[in-house]
């Protein structure tokens, strides 16, 4: 058990101790952003890698969490009786009733997690009871992401429209522009990711986790044994949605913006690609893939502004061609070769 946890402990020390000391504030902020995406990827790894549910709409849940936190931050900035800046520009004269509860931070954070989870429960109950799976489920979640973007863009006075929400200055009384605040946010994000990773790994190793894998490999056989595959998949889908919502809530103060462009079809697909690159059958692979693809996107865009998308696509094709099981597959192959 101790030997098994050594890699996690090493990574935790590097993430929590070394990174804040060695990285400059800008790079530390980028790493915090990658770790937010890694939380989403962890949920995808659970749903897709362990449960066989290819979800192409995690951006929806990420966006719900992000907008929940952004609404709280905007209301704090506006003060009692005030309106967020974009509402003033849009001609809104009074605060919409939907916004009022989000002045409470407990409600905002709770909705960031429970809102996406509840939506996933409703969607999963409707879909999995009808035995919709495979490509049909993937297309359905992708359509949900597209519809979500259209809804947000069309509600300028309620959501900020295409521009979304930005210009956040304080979080719980702390200046978000201060380096110490951003360093604290990074530590919070890294800690949340570590806790969720351990909890998810424990879940996968439990009896429920084995049942989830059995549903992935033979749903009809599990049903004939007396279990309810729809319930198993719905719970897992809701857990992955809750993770995405929490990641969105953390993303907003770290990056300083939330907009429809960050939660549509393309960002959702990028997260799935990241999980595939890291290795979808291993939770560590999902986390690693999100960080690697995030770093690659930044590095390529800085060095090759005109063609970085092609390089990012080439990285995906290269990994998938040489190692269908992702980066963790390469690591496993090298480990077996060394012990042979």
């Amino acid at each position: 058990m101790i030997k098994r946890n050594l890699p996690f402990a090493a990574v935790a020390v590097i993430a929590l101790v070394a990174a804040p000391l060695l990285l400059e504030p800008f790079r530390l902020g980028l790493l915090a952003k990658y770790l937010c995406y890694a939380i989403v990827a962890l949920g995808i790894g659970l749903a897709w890698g362990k449960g066989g549910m290819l979800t192409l709409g995690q951006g929806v849940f990420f966006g719900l969490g992000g907008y929940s936190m952004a609404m709280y931050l905007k209301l704090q900035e506006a003060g009692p009786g005030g309106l967020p800046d974009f509402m003033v520009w849009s001609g809104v004269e009074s605060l919409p009733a939907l916004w009022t509860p989000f002045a409470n931070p407990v409600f905002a954070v709770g909705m960031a997690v429970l809102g996406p989870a509840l939506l996933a429960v409703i969607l999963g109950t409707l879909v999995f009871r009808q035995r919709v799976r495979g490509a049909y489920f993937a297309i359905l979640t992708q359509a949900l992401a597209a519809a979500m973007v259209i809804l947000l863009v069309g509600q300028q006075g309620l959501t900020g429209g295409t521009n979304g929400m930005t210009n956040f200055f304080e979080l719980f009384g702390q200046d978000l522009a201060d380096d110490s605040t951003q360093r604290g946010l990074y530590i919070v994000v890294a800690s949340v990711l570590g806790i969720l990773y351990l909890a998810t790994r424990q879940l996968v190793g439990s009896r429920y986790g084995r049942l989830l894998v059995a549903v992935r490999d033979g749903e009809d056989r599990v049903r004939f044994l007396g279990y309810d595959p729809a319930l198993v998949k719905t719970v897992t889908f809701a857990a992955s949605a809750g993770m995405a919502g929490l990641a969105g809530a953390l993303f907003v103060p770290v990056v300083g913006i939330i907009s429809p462009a960050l939660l549509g079809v393309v960002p959702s697909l990028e997260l799935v690609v990241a999980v595939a690159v890291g290795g979808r059958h291993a939770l560590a692979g999902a986390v690693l893939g999100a960080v690697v693809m995030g770093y690659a996107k930044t590095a390529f865009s800085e060095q090759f502004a005109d063609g970085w998308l092609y390089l990012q696509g080439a990285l995906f094709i290269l990994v998938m061609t040489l190692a269908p099981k992702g980066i963790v597959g390469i690591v496993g192959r090298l480990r077996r070769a060394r012990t042979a």
Side-chain angles (χ1 to χ4, degrees), residues 202-280:
Q202 187 70 23
L203 177 66
V204 169
S206 67
R207 183 169 178 265
Y208 175 85
R210 293 191 291 273
L211 180 60
L212 177 63
V213 173
V215 170
R216 179 196 68 189
D217 295 338
E219 183 173 333
D220 291 332
R221 282 178 289 181
V222 171
R223 183 179 294 106
F224 293 150
L225 290 173
Y227 294 100
D228 185 357
L231 178 60
V232 175
K233 294 167 74 172
T234 299
V235 171
T236 304
F237 187 41
S240 69
M243 291 184 200
L246 180 57
L250 294 170
F251 179 90
V252 169
V254 167
V255 180
I257 187 174
I258 187 70
S259 71
L262 295 170
L263 53 101
V265 173
V266 174
S268 298
L269 288 174
E270 287 180 345
L271 287 167
V272 172
V273 168
V275 172
V277 167
R280 69 184 178 96

Side-chain angles (χ1 to χ4, degrees), residues 37-332:
Y37 288 138
I39 295 175
V40 187
L42 180 63
I44 296 175
L46 177 64
W48 182 30
K50 302 301 180 181
M53 294 171 283
L54 177 55
T55 169
L56 302 180
Q58 289 299 97
V60 172
F61 308 123
F62 179 83
L64 288 175
Y67 272 91
S68 294
M69 177 58 73
M71 291 164 74
Y72 165 71
L73 294 177
K74 278 298 181 185
L75 288 175
Q76 292 303 297
E77 175 193 336
L83 291 175
D85 49 10
F86 71 89
M87 288 188 182
V88 176
W89 303 333
S90 301
V92 177
E93 297 181 353
S94 61
L95 188 68
L98 176 64
W99 275 68
T100 304
F102 287 91
N104 186 317
V106 176
F107 180 86
V109 174
M111 283 301 296
V113 178
L114 298 179
L118 179 59
L119 177 60
V121 167
I122 295 173
L123 180 64
T125 301
L126 294 175
V127 171
F128 297 136
R129 291 293 177 189
Q130 300 300 319
R131 302 186 184 180
V132 176
R133 52 190 170 184
Y136 299 103
F137 175 73
I139 293 172
L140 181 64
T141 56
Q142 188 178 49
L144 180 64
M148 184 69 173
V149 170
I150 294 173
L151 176 64
L152 291 173
V153 170
Q155 299 296 321
Q156 173 70 37
L158 193 63
T159 65
T162 304
N163 296 324
M165 301 184 209
T166 186
N167 296 327
F168 307 112
F169 301 106
E170 288 188 355
L171 175 65
F172 303 134
Q174 301 298 313
D175 184 5
L176 286 174
D178 190 82
D179 290 345
S180 61
T181 303
Q182 287 299 318
R183 192 177 299 111
L185 281 172
Y186 167 80
I187 293 175
V188 170
V189 172
S191 300
V192 168
L193 174 59
I195 292 170
L196 287 176
Y197 174 78
L198 289 176
T200 306
R201 192 174 71 172
Q202 187 70 23
L203 177 66
V204 169
S206 67
R207 183 169 178 265
Y208 175 85
R210 293 191 291 273
L211 180 60
L212 177 63
V213 173
V215 170
R216 179 196 68 189
D217 295 338
E219 183 173 333
D220 291 332
R221 282 178 289 181
V222 171
R223 183 179 294 106
F224 293 150
L225 290 173
Y227 294 100
D228 185 357
L231 178 60
V232 175
K233 294 167 74 172
T234 299
V235 171
T236 304
F237 187 41
S240 69
M243 291 184 200
L246 180 57
L250 294 170
F251 179 90
V252 169
V254 167
V255 180
I257 187 174
I258 187 70
S259 71
L262 295 170
L263 53 101
V265 173
V266 174
S268 298
L269 288 174
E270 287 180 345
L271 287 167
V272 172
V273 168
V275 172
V277 167
R280 69 184 178 96
H281 292 295
L283 297 176
V287 173
L288 178 62
V291 175
V292 168
M293 291 299 286
Y295 175 77
K297 185 175 182 178
T298 299
F300 291 155
S301 62
E302 289 177 346
Q303 299 297 324
F304 309 99
D306 294 330
W308 66 271
L309 276 173
Y310 298 104
L311 294 174
Q312 189 179 25
L315 174 63
F316 170 67
I317 294 173
L318 182 65
V319 172
M320 289 296 96
T321 301
L322 299 178
K325 294 183 179 180
I327 296 174
V328 293
I330 298 177
V331 174

